[in-house]
Amino acid sequence: MIPSTRQEIFDYVIQRLLEQNKRSQRGGACKYRAGDARCAIGWIIPDHLYLEEMDDPETAWGVETMFRRDIPAVVTLGLELAEAMQDAHDTAADHILFKTTLLENMQDVARDYNLAWNF
């Protein structure tokens, strides 16, 4: 179940990303869902709302589209925080340093958006 507060969503996303220990990408491009991996926003899209077109190169949805389409946790986070979390995932290293760079990136997000740092 996807949490309901900004702090809980933030912590949930980081925990899931640390567990998967890799970026969510297919064909060299970041995807909301790629096999068993998900990106920061991918973890907060409920299964019943996920559409393959969200990741289709021709129709890919940006975080702003997720917000406008009322994906609940994205709306709770707000557009700027959701985009910052997505960017923190997308720019994390693609190798052994994934966890390190992800945590550094997310710690910056926590500071910028007045969230507690629980990692």
Side-chain angles (χ1 to χ4, degrees):
M1 183 171 188
I2 298 170
S4 58
T5 71
R6 287 171 46 139
Q7 184 69 55
E8 291 169 341
I9 294 167
F10 181 74
D11 291 347
Y12 171 82
V13 166
I14 293 173
Q15 187 60 46
R16 294 297 147 314
L17 292 173
L18 291 174
E19 289 169 2
Q20 84 183 18
N21 194 28
K22 62 184 175 184
R23 287 177 45 198
S24 176
Q25 56 185 351
R26 185 173 48 245
C30 290
K31 303 290 182 183
Y32 294 111
R33 296 184 181 190
D36 63 343
R38 296 182 184 189
C39 69
I41 298 304
W43 280 109
I44 58 173
I45 302 168
D47 290 340
H48 71 280
L49 295 178
Y50 177 77
L51 304 169
E52 287 186 21
E53 71 185 60
M54 293 173 174
D55 281 320
D56 185 307
E58 301 294 321
T59 60
W61 294 19
V63 176
E64 185 175 350
T65 302
M66 300 285 179
F67 183 80
R68 283 187 287 115
R69 296 274 183 117
D70 292 325
I71 303 298
V74 177
V75 171
T76 298
L77 289 173
L79 182 58
E80 289 182 16
L81 175 54
E83 287 178 332
M85 290 172 60
Q86 184 64 30
D87 187 53
H89 166 267
D90 289 351
T91 59
D94 238 357
H95 46 71
I96 191 119
L97 295 177
F98 174 79
K99 284 185 179 181
T100 301
T101 57
L102 175 72
L103 289 172
E104 288 171 355
N105 293 349
M106 287 295 195
Q107 190 169 23
D108 290 343
V109 172
R111 183 188 63 249
D112 293 347
Y113 290 89
N114 297 316
L115 296 167
W117 182 246
N118 297 317
F119 298 89

